[in-house]
C-alpha cells in the first residue's frame, strides 16, 4: 500500500474527528486497514467457529421449540460470519485468504469457543452469558469508525438480543425445574462465568493495541468499561432466577453503584489464546476437515458455472 | 388403534421431524457458509412443520400429550416416517439427492393437501408447499451442478442416486388409513402423483447428464413403524434432551 499524501491524511483525520464513517474507497492509513482486517476477520471466524459448540446440541435439544430457536440462532451466526467476511473483503482481502490465515493459525477467533458444551445447560449459559457479553461489545461497536463494520454491527445487534433471551430462557426453565436440572444450570454457570468475563479482553492497563484503536475510533469504549457494564447487568439477572455467581469476592459497591469482582485467571486466558484450551485443536480440526470434505462440492460448483446455465 | 387422521398426522409429522433432524446434522459441516445457511433453513422448515402437525395431532388425540411428548416420547416402532427421510446423510451428494427426490414428491403431496377438507391440514400444507418448492429447486440446482461439475462430483451424485433410489417406491404406498382419508376428501391420492413425480425427477436427472437407476429391491415399512437400523440411533439422540427435562 502506498503511503498517504498529506491531503489524504488530512481527509482521513478530519473525517474521524467529525465522527463520520470511513468508507471502502476513502484513503486510510495502512495501520488502520490492517487493524480492521485483523479485527473483522477475527470477529467473522468467531461467529463461524461458534457454530460448533452450539451445533453440538441441536440434535439433542429439549423440545421442538428449543430446537427451532437454537438452530435459528446458529443460522443467524452463520449469516453474521458471512456479513463480516464481506465487510472485511471491502478492505482488500478475500474470504479464501482469511480462511487460509485461520487454518494457518495466523488469525484468531474468540477464545470462548475453546471451551466445551458438556450439558444442555451449557447451551443456556452460552446464549445468556457469551452472547450477552458479545452484545455489550457489539452495541459499542455500532459506533465504530469503519462504515461497513458499523453497519454490520447494527444488523447483528438486532439478532443478538434474541439470542440472549434464548439462553436466559433455558437457564430460567432449568432453575424452575428439578434438583438435577438446577444443579446442571449452576454447574454451567460455574464453568462459563469467568471465561465470559474474559471475552472483553485483558484489563485496560494491559491491552496492547488499544491506543491506535481508540485514536482511530475503531474501539469506542475500554475493555474494563464494557466488562463492568456486562457484570452489572448479569449479576441481577442471575439473582432473579436463583443462580449463584461463582465468585466469593463479588460485592456491590454502594458508592460507585457497581458490582466488584474478584481476580480473574488471566494466565488461563493467555494459555487458551495460545492454543492450550480444551477444544482448540478440536475446533480447528473440525473446521479444516469440513473445508477439505467440501472441496469437491466447491470445485464442482465452479466447474458447472463455467459449463453454462442450468435449464430453468 | 388410532383414528386414520391421527395416524396420517403422525406420518406427515414424522416425515418432517426425521428429515429435519437429518438436515440439522449438517450444522457447521456444509461445504460453504452459504450452504450452511440453506441447510439450516430447510431443517427449520421441516422441524417447524413437524411441530405444527404434531401440535394438531396432540389436540386431536386429546390425551393431554404435548407436541413434544409425541415428537420425543415414542419408541422405534411408533415412528411412521418414510424410510427415505432417515437414510444417513452420507456426503453432500446423498443429502441433496434425497432432498431433491423427496421434495419433488412433497411438493405434489402438499399441493393436493392444500385443498384438503380438513382446514387445519390444508393450512399447514399451504404454508409447507411454498417451502418445499424452494427445497426442490435448491436441491435440483445442486443435482445439475454436481452432474455438470467434475468427474468426482458426477461419480458421487450418480452413486447417491443409487443409494436413494431403493427408498422411492415407499413414498407412493397407500393403505386403508390413507384410502379412508381420500374418500373423506382429507388425504392425498398418491397414485395420481407418481407419474408427474417420475417425469420431474427424470428430467432433472437427465438434464444433469445422469442416469436414472433401475427399479430393484425397494425398502418399505416406515408407515407401519418398521424402520432401518438408522432410526434407533436418531431417536436415542433426538429424545435425549426431552428425557432430561423430565428427570
Amino acid at each position: 500500500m502506498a503511503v498517504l499524501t498529506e491531503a489524504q491524511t488530512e481527509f482521513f483525520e478530519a473525517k474521524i474527528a467529525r465522527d463520520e464513517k470511513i468508507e471502502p474507497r476513502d484513503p486510510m492509513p495502512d495501520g488502520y486497514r490492517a487493524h480492521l482486517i485483523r479485527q473483522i476477520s477475527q470477529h467473522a471466524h468467531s461467529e463461524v467457529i461458534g457454530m460448533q459448540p452450539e451445533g453440538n446440541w441441536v440434535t439433542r435439544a429439549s423440545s421442538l421449540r428449543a430446537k427451532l430457536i437454537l438452530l435459528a440462532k446458529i443460522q443467524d451466526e452463520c449469516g453474521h460470519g458471512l456479513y463480516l467476511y464481506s465487510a472485511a473483503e471491502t478492505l482488500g482481502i478475500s474470504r479464501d485468504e482469511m480462511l487460509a490465515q485461520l487454518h494457518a493459525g495466523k488469525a484468531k477467533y474468540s477464545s470462548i469457543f475453546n471451551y466445551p458444551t458438556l450439558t444442555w445447560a451449557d447451551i443456556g449459559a452460552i446464549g445468556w452469558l457469551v452472547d450477552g457479553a458479545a452484545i455489550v461489545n457489539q452495541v459499542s461497536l455500532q459506533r465504530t469508525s469503519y462504515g461497513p463494520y458499523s453497519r454490520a454491527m447494527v444488523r447483528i445487534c438486532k439478532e443478538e438480543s434474541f439470542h440472549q433471551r434464548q439462553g436466559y430462557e433455558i437457564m430460567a426453565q432449568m432453575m424452575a425445574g428439578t434438583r438435577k436440572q438446577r444443579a446442571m444450570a449452576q454447574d454451567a454457570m460455574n464453568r462459563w462465568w469467568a471465561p465470559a468475563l474474559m471475552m472483553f479482553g485483558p484489563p485496560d492497563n494491559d491491552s496492547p493495541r488499544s491506543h491506535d484503536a481508540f485514536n482511530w475510533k475503531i474501539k469506542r469504549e475500554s475493555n474494563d468499561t464494557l466488562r463492568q457494564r456486562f457484570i452489572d447487568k448479569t449479576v441481577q439477572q442471575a439473582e432473579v432466577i436463583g443462580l449463584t455467581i461463582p465468585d466469593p469476592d463479588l460485592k456491590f459497591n454502594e458508592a460507585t453503584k457497581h458490582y466488584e469482582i474478584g481476580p480473574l485467571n488471566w494466565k488461563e486466558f493467555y494459555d487458551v489464546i495460545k492454543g492450550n484450551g480444551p477444544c482448540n485443536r478440536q475446533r480447528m480440526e473440525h473446521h479444516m476437515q469440513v473445508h477439505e470434505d467440501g472441496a469437491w462440492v466447491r470445485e464442482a460448483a465452479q466447474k458447472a458455472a463455467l459449463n453454462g446455465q442450468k435449464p430453468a | 388403534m388410532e383414528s386414520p387422521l391421527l395416524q396420517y398426522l403422525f406420518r406427515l409429522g414424522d416425515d418432517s421431524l426425521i428429515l429435519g433432524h437429518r438436515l440439522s446434522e449438517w450444522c457447521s459441516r456444509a461445504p460453504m457458509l452459504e450452504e450452511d445457511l440453506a441447510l439450516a433453513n430447510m431443517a427449520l422448515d421441516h422441524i417447524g412443520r413437524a411441530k405444527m402437525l404434531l401440535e394438531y395431532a396432540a389436540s386431536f388425540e386429546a390425551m393431554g400429550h404435548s407436541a413434544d411428548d409425541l415428537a420425543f416420547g415414542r419408541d422405534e416402532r411408533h415412528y411412521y416416517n418414510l424410510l427415505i427421510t432417515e437414510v444417513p446423510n452420507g456426503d453432500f451428494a446423498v443429502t441433496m439427492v434425497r432432498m431433491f427426490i423427496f421434495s419433488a414428491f412433497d411438493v405434489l403431496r402438499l399441493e393436493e393437501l392444500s385443498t384438503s377438507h380438513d382446514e387445519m391440514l390444508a393450512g399447514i400444507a399451504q404454508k409447507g408447499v411454498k417451502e418445499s418448492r424452494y427445497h426442490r429447486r435448491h436441491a435440483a440446482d445442486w443435482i445439475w451442478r454436481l452432474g455438470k461439475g467434475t468427474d468426482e462430483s458426477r461419480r458421487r451424485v450418480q452413486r447417491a442416486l443409487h443409494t436413494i433410489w431403493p427408498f422411492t417406491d415407499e413414498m407412493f404406498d397407500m393403505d386403508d388409513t390413507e384410502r379412508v382419508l381420500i374418500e373423506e376428501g382429507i388425504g392425498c391420492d398418491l397414485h395420481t402423483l407418481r407419474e408427474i413425480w417420475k417425469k420431474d425427477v427424470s428430467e432433472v436427472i437427465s438434464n444433469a447428464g445422469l442416469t436414472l437407476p433401475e427399479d430393484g429391491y425397494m425398502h418399505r415399512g416406515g408407515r407401519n413403524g418398521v424402520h432401518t437400523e438408522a432410526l434407533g440411533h436418531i431417536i436415542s439422540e433426538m429424545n435425549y434432551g426431552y428425557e432430561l427435562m423430565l428427570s
Side-chain angles (χ1 to χ4, degrees):
Chain A
M1 292 306 277
V3 176
L4 296 192
T5 65
E6 214 167 291
Q8 285 172 324
T9 303
E10 210 170 290
F11 175 88
F12 173 82
E13 286 175 356
K15 258 192 142 180
I16 295 282
R18 290 193 303 267
D19 258 343
E20 286 174 18
K21 299 300 178 207
I22 304 298
E23 295 299 337
R25 288 168 171 278
D26 289 342
M28 62 184 87
D30 287 353
Y32 179 82
R33 185 183 300 275
H35 188 105
L36 280 167
I37 287 176
R38 187 176 57 243
Q39 181 168 339
I40 301 173
S41 70
Q42 175 173 323
H43 198 157
H45 296 324
S46 302
E47 297 278 0
V48 172
I49 298 293
M51 294 168 70
Q52 291 180 39
E54 294 191 282
N56 184 35
W57 280 91
V58 165
T59 55
R60 293 179 290 170
S62 65
S63 67
L64 289 164
R65 175 186 153 84
K67 191 189 293 283
L68 286 168
I69 296 177
L70 178 60
L71 188 54
K73 168 183 193 291
I74 300 172
Q75 190 193 30
D76 283 349
E77 275 146 16
C78 180
H80 299 171
L82 269 178
Y83 310 151
L84 287 164
Y85 283 127
S86 303
E89 283 182 326
T90 64
L91 293 158
I93 185 167
S94 70
R95 201 200 303 181
D96 282 345
E97 287 172 289
M98 288 184 267
L99 290 181
Q101 288 179 351
L102 176 68
H103 293 168
K106 287 182 189 153
K108 302 283 185 200
Y109 55 88
S110 178
S111 246
I112 194 79
F113 300 121
N114 291 318
Y115 293 89
T117 49
L118 301 179
T119 72
W120 173 242
D122 289 33
I123 296 304
I126 287 202
W128 174 43
L129 299 174
V130 174
D131 288 307
I135 294 169
V136 171
N137 190 33
Q138 291 174 159
V139 164
S140 181
L141 279 171
Q142 291 179 80
R143 292 169 51 233
T144 193
S145 60
Y146 188 56
Y149 193 30
S150 158
R151 291 187 288 272
M153 283 303 115
V154 171
R155 188 157 171 191
I156 286 172
C157 283
K158 285 184 188 155
E159 295 179 342
E160 289 286 353
S161 62
F162 143 79
H163 297 174
Q164 199 198 7
R165 285 203 297 275
Q166 168 264 356
Y168 193 60
E169 180 180 293
I170 291 174
M171 292 307 249
Q173 191 192 5
M174 294 190 91
M175 288 307 288
T178 61
R179 181 200 295 258
K180 179 176 156 186
Q181 290 159 20
R182 288 197 302 275
M184 200 178 258
Q186 183 64 52
D187 170 64
M189 174 84 194
N190 295 349
R191 284 181 288 110
W192 288 94
W193 171 250
L197 294 182
M198 291 192 277
M199 283 172 68
F200 295 96
D204 293 349
N205 53 18
D206 194 19
S207 185
R209 293 200 186 91
S210 283
H211 186 67
D212 281 344
F214 277 115
N215 287 341
W216 287 326
K217 295 187 180 171
I218 293 174
K219 196 170 171 62
R220 305 304 302 250
E221 291 172 289
S222 79
N223 295 353
D224 286 335
T225 306
L226 295 168
R227 185 169 13 248
Q228 188 62 51
R229 189 172 299 150
F230 173 71
I231 292 167
D232 289 340
K233 184 174 81 156
T234 310
V235 168
Q236 291 175 0
Q237 291 170 348
E239 280 172 5
V240 170
I241 56 173
L243 280 166
T244 305
I245 302 281
D247 178 354
D249 299 328
L250 182 82
K251 57 177 185 294
F252 188 69
N253 183 326
E254 283 294 345
T256 63
K257 300 289 175 203
H258 288 301
Y259 286 94
E260 290 172 1
I261 57 166
L264 291 167
N265 183 354
W266 290 104
K267 183 185 174 302
E268 176 182 308
F269 174 78
Y270 287 113
D271 278 350
V272 177
I273 284 188
K274 281 187 207 123
N276 301 312
C279 298
N280 296 60
R281 183 171 290 276
Q282 178 189 333
R283 301 289 183 240
M284 285 312 299
E285 282 177 357
H286 176 108
H287 195 275
M288 288 190 276
Q289 185 69 52
V290 164
H291 193 71
E292 220 170 89
D293 290 348
W296 71 271
V297 179
R298 296 190 300 274
E299 281 160 23
Q302 275 188 340
K303 184 86 187 300
L306 298 175
N307 284 349
Q309 274 297 304
K310 177 190 163 290
Chain B
M1 188 58 199
E2 294 122 357
S3 78
L5 179 56
L6 185 59
Q7 178 61 25
Y8 199 53
L9 293 172
F10 274 128
R11 291 179 181 185
L12 296 170
D14 289 350
D15 284 349
S16 281
L17 181 67
I18 301 301
L19 182 58
H21 182 91
R22 281 297 188 215
L23 290 163
S24 78
E25 289 176 338
W26 273 97
C27 182
S28 86
R29 293 182 170 85
M32 62 201 81
L33 286 179
E34 288 81 352
E35 206 48 38
D36 238 309
L37 285 177
L39 287 159
N41 228 39
M42 295 191 285
L44 284 166
D45 287 345
H46 275 291
I47 297 166
R49 197 182 304 167
K51 183 165 180 281
M52 287 188 285
L53 288 160
L54 294 175
E55 275 167 358
Y56 183 33
S59 71
F60 189 82
E61 183 197 30
M63 301 268 284
H65 290 139
S66 66
D68 288 329
D69 296 333
L70 299 184
F72 305 122
R74 288 177 279 155
D75 62 41
E76 292 87 339
R77 295 280 278 105
H78 293 88
Y79 282 83
Y80 302 106
N81 56 287
L82 292 167
L83 301 180
I84 192 173
T85 62
E86 71 197 44
V87 173
N89 284 336
D91 63 8
F92 186 72
V94 172
T95 290
M96 279 302 147
V97 165
R98 180 238 311 272
M99 202 61 201
F100 168 63
I101 285 184
F102 177 81
S103 301
F105 159 78
D106 207 21
V107 166
L108 299 173
R109 180 171 66 170
L110 291 166
E111 279 172 352
E112 291 290 310
L113 291 175
S114 294
T115 57
S116 169
H117 290 177
D118 186 283
E119 270 180 41
M120 181 69 95
L121 185 56
I124 296 170
Q126 284 157 19
K127 180 174 188 293
V129 75
K130 292 178 201 148
E131 297 161 351
S132 286
R133 281 193 193 118
Y134 158 77
H135 302 172
R136 185 211 150 277
R137 196 181 70 201
H138 184 75
D141 285 353
W142 272 112
I143 303 298
W144 186 82
R145 281 187 208 110
L146 299 180
K148 296 289 181 183
T150 60
D151 290 344
E152 184 180 9
S153 70
R154 202 168 305 116
R155 181 178 60 74
R156 285 179 184 253
V157 69
Q158 185 64 57
R159 186 176 64 186
L161 280 165
H162 287 281
T163 302
I164 294 301
W165 198 252
F167 295 92
T168 53
D169 224 27
E170 190 198 22
M171 298 193 295
F172 299 95
D173 282 354
M174 290 197 296
D175 58 9
D176 286 343
T177 296
E178 306 211 3
R179 277 189 281 272
V180 169
L181 293 171
I182 293 167
E183 278 168 28
E184 291 174 3
I186 293 174
C188 159
D189 186 349
L190 299 169
H191 289 167
T192 63
L193 305 181
R194 187 167 192 146
E195 284 313 306
I196 314 173
W197 171 83
K198 187 76 178 281
K199 184 167 175 285
D200 178 23
V201 168
S202 307
E203 264 176 30
V204 168
I205 289 174
S206 98
N207 284 338
L210 301 166
T211 314
L212 204 64
E214 301 275 327
D215 287 351
Y217 177 79
M218 290 285 177
H219 297 275
R220 39 176 41 93
R223 294 315 195 196
N224 297 315
V226 179
H227 290 271
T228 66
E229 288 179 348
L231 186 81
H233 294 276
I234 292 179
I235 68 172
S236 56
E237 183 173 346
M238 186 176 78
N239 299 357
Y240 170 84
Y242 167 81
E243 283 158 14
L244 169 75
M245 295 307 283
L246 294 180
S247 64

